[in-house]
Structure formats: structure tokens, C-alpha cells
Amino acid sequence: MKKACLALLLAASVTPALAQDKTFDLKVSHWVPASHPLQKSLEDWVAAVNKDSGGTITGKVFPAQQLGKAFDHYDMARDGIADVTYVNPGYQPGRFPIIGAGELPFLISDAKGGSMGLDAWYRKYAEKEMKDVKYCLAFVHSPSSFHSKTKKIVMPEDVKGMKIRPAHATMANFVTSLGGTNVQSSAPEVRDIIERGVADGVTFPWGSLVLFGIDKVTKYDMEAPLYTTTFVFVMNKDKYNAMSDKQKAAVDKNCSVEMAGVVGEHWGKFEDAGIDKVKAESGHEVYKLTPEQTAAWKKAAEPLVKTWSEGAKKAGVDPDAAMTELKASLKKYNALAE
């Protein structure tokens, strides 16, 4: 009897230790330089998850394509090459048609509110469109425009005959519809292709223009809120499913609409600060559009909504309802462009 009691006492004493969550050390991958604001955003994200998990989830951020090419980051999360990755869905035309709504010109006016509005809207669609991974959050950078080396782009017809590196699939369609030629490359390769004359210009946000040194090879800069680019953080499903309920809750807490706004705002401030930097540089002509010129760009962009609608429909989504929902969400967070 005494032996049985002793055994029970021993079992009781070790149960708490056995019940403790196992630890996870996450590999977090992105493809921009470590000096980009995204590095700190991801480090802050890891720190928040670490705190909320009681220290059982740690992680290291790998910048600058150390674990794989920019174009591969969604598949890297799916396949477990990395545990959490930063993805530009528009780098793979046709693969993620629904979230492509966030790329449409003259739709989103602000990085923080735009990120929150896009993320809140996309969550229900992500379950289908990004089912291979654990979706975390979506965000956008500040509205951006054209930067070119060879000529000033003022009207839509000025793009005709030019070679442009587009930010994503929607801008690629736009360039083609205007008579230009697309040159595909990831962000880290843009300076080189313009310097070598492979491309004449690029659609790019302002702070990143300076960060990647593209301002050294461009001359004309359109200051207009033409488009935004959508991004997501995604996680390997198996890694997430292996976690305890408490650990999953720690991840979920930091995969939220609020966190999307934090990431978007941090990046947005960085991009907005780039405008004055470029203006201060010699050899740059930064110019705004007149109301008439803006109207011409808006009209030229109208077919892009139709193209997006067709893609969304093929993905099994009612495009009219989805767009109405997105606009309402953006309006809620004060980020719907006029």
C-alpha cells in the first residue's frame, strides 16, 4: 500500500513537468535587406509571440533571401523550409486572385488603415485561397507610383513603348494595357535591371526606392497615390498544429487585424519619409498630377477591376459582393481612396 501511495505521489510530482509545452524555435524568412523596417516588424512579432507563449516559442529572423528567393516564400512556408514567411502574392500572377483586389489602383489611401481594412476583409477568403498554410495577416505599404530613368510619365499613353518593372500582377496588366512591356524581377534586382537598360522604369514605394538604391538610376518620379502592394505573413501548418492550445493562442493573438495595422503603419511611415529624401536629391524631378491627368489615369485603370472580377469569379467568389465588402472595410478604417 505504501509503495502504491509513493508511486502516486511520484507520478503527481512529475505530471506538471510532463504537461509543460514543448519549445519551438521558429525560422522566420523575408527577402528585403535587414535595414528595411520589415526586419524590426518581424523581430517585434517574434518577441510578442515569445512573451505571450510564456517563453516557449522563440524565433530568428532571416533577411535578404537567406533561406530562399523572394518568389518562393509562400511555398517555403507550405513546405517547412521556413516556419513563418513574408509573401508578395502578386509575384505569382493568377495564383492568389482574390487578395489581388488590394493591388487595384486608386482604392487604398493609407498604409495603416489600408492594412487593417484589407486584413479584416481577407480573413474569410484566406481559408480557401491560402489553405496550404496558416494565414497570419495581410498588409499594404503606402500608395506609390512610377519612377523612370528615360522619360517623364504624366499621362497613361506615356507608358507606351516603355519597359517597366511592375510591382505585382495587377500593375503588370496595367502596363501591358497601356502598351508597355513588363520586365519581371524581385525588388532586390530592380536597380541592376534599370542600370543595365533592361527596364526603363519601375512602380515602387518611396522609402524603398532609396533603400534599394533605385533612386541612383532613376530621374522622374510621379507623386501620386496610384497603387498599393499587398503582402502577407503566413506560417507552416504542421508547425502551428504541433503547438499546444496556449501556444496557438499566442500565435493567433499576434495574427490579428490590430497587428496588421502595426506592421502597415511602421512600414508606411518609412515609405512616406522617402518622398522628401528623393525631393532633396539632385537630378530628380518629382511631380504631381493635375485633376485632369488623375482622371485620365483612373479611366485607364477601370479595365483592371474587370480583370480582377474575372479572376475572383474563377476562384468561386462573387466579385461584386467581395468588392463591396472590401470598400466597406477600408472605409471603416478610414483608408478608402476618394
Side-chain angles (χ1 to χ4, degrees):
M1 187 70 180
K2 282 183 179 178
K3 282 182 181 177
C5 288
L6 190 61
L8 283 169
L9 285 168
L10 282 169
S13 68
V14 299
T15 299
L18 291 173
Q20 278 183 349
D21 292 336
K22 59 182 176 181
T23 58
F24 291 89
D25 187 27
L26 303 179
K27 288 183 289 184
V28 182
S29 179
H30 70 83
W31 34 268
V32 291
S35 52
H36 192 283
L38 189 72
Q39 175 76 17
K40 186 174 188 310
S41 289
L42 282 167
E43 288 173 352
D44 289 349
W45 186 88
V46 169
V49 172
N50 177 262
K51 182 185 175 187
D52 292 331
S53 69
T56 60
I57 301 175
T58 58
K60 182 181 178 184
V61 180
F62 294 85
Q65 305 187 100
Q66 287 180 29
L67 300 185
K69 292 290 185 184
F71 294 104
D72 297 331
H73 270 58
Y74 180 87
D75 293 332
M76 285 163 56
R78 180 195 66 191
D79 300 338
I81 294 167
D83 300 309
V84 179
T85 65
Y86 156 67
V87 180
N88 178 343
Y91 272 177
Q92 296 180 300
R95 188 173 184 184
F96 307 104
I98 302 169
I99 199 172
E103 302 170 353
L104 291 167
F106 302 105
L107 180 65
I108 296 175
S109 63
D110 171 74
K112 180 183 179 180
S115 296
M116 296 176 80
L118 178 75
D119 179 69
W121 166 80
Y122 186 61
R123 288 189 169 269
K124 71 174 182 180
Y125 298 112
E127 291 176 17
K128 181 180 179 183
E129 187 161 79
M130 298 190 179
K131 61 181 182 294
D132 310 307
V133 295
K134 153 73 177 169
Y135 169 80
C136 180
L137 56 83
F139 58 101
V140 295
H141 60 49
S142 296
S144 308
S145 194
F146 284 97
H147 307 272
S148 63
K149 178 183 181 180
T150 55
K151 75 173 182 180
K152 190 174 175 180
I153 301 170
V154 179
M155 294 292 282
E157 51 263 35
D158 293 333
V159 175
K160 189 174 182 179
M162 293 186 74
K163 295 171 291 183
I164 304 289
R165 182 272 184 185
H168 44 60
T170 302
M171 288 308 291
N173 289 338
F174 201 19
V175 167
T176 302
S177 72
L178 298 176
T181 301
N182 288 300
V183 180
Q184 294 297 331
S185 84
S186 63
E189 300 162 336
V190 172
R191 176 177 176 166
D192 180 57
I193 63 170
I194 293 177
E195 200 164 28
R196 291 190 290 113
V198 176
D200 301 314
V202 63
T203 57
F204 220 72
W206 292 87
S208 294
L209 193 82
V210 177
L211 178 67
F212 286 95
I214 303 166
D215 58 319
K216 301 291 187 288
V217 294
T218 51
K219 181 179 178 181
Y220 305 102
D221 307 276
M222 180 196 289
E223 189 181 353
L226 193 62
Y227 77 95
T228 55
T229 300
T230 61
F231 302 101
V232 293
F233 290 167
V234 296
M235 185 174 184
N236 177 263
K237 253 188 173 175
D238 291 339
K239 186 60 62 84
Y240 177 77
N241 289 335
M243 293 178 172
S244 70
D245 289 344
K246 182 187 174 185
Q247 289 171 322
K248 285 177 180 174
V251 171
D252 292 345
K253 182 181 174 183
N254 293 285
C255 289
S256 64
V257 173
E258 289 70 31
M259 185 60 80
V262 169
V263 176
E265 182 179 30
H266 186 220
W267 189 338
K269 286 180 176 177
F270 164 77
E271 299 296 3
D272 291 341
I275 298 176
D276 287 337
K277 288 180 183 176
V278 176
K279 282 180 176 176
E281 293 177 7
S282 61
H284 273 267
E285 183 179 347
V286 178
Y287 57 96
K288 292 188 176 183
L289 301 178
T290 66
E292 293 76 20
Q293 290 163 348
T294 301
W297 281 99
K298 285 184 176 179
K299 186 163 181 60
E302 284 173 3
L304 296 175
V305 179
K306 184 172 182 287
T307 302
W308 172 80
S309 297
E310 289 167 355
K313 201 176 286 183
K314 284 179 186 170
V317 169
D318 178 343
D320 294 334
M323 183 54 68
T324 299
E325 290 168 3
L326 176 55
K327 286 182 176 178
S329 187
L330 291 170
K331 190 171 184 180
K332 178 183 175 181
Y333 292 101
N334 299 313
L336 181 63
E338 293 296 325

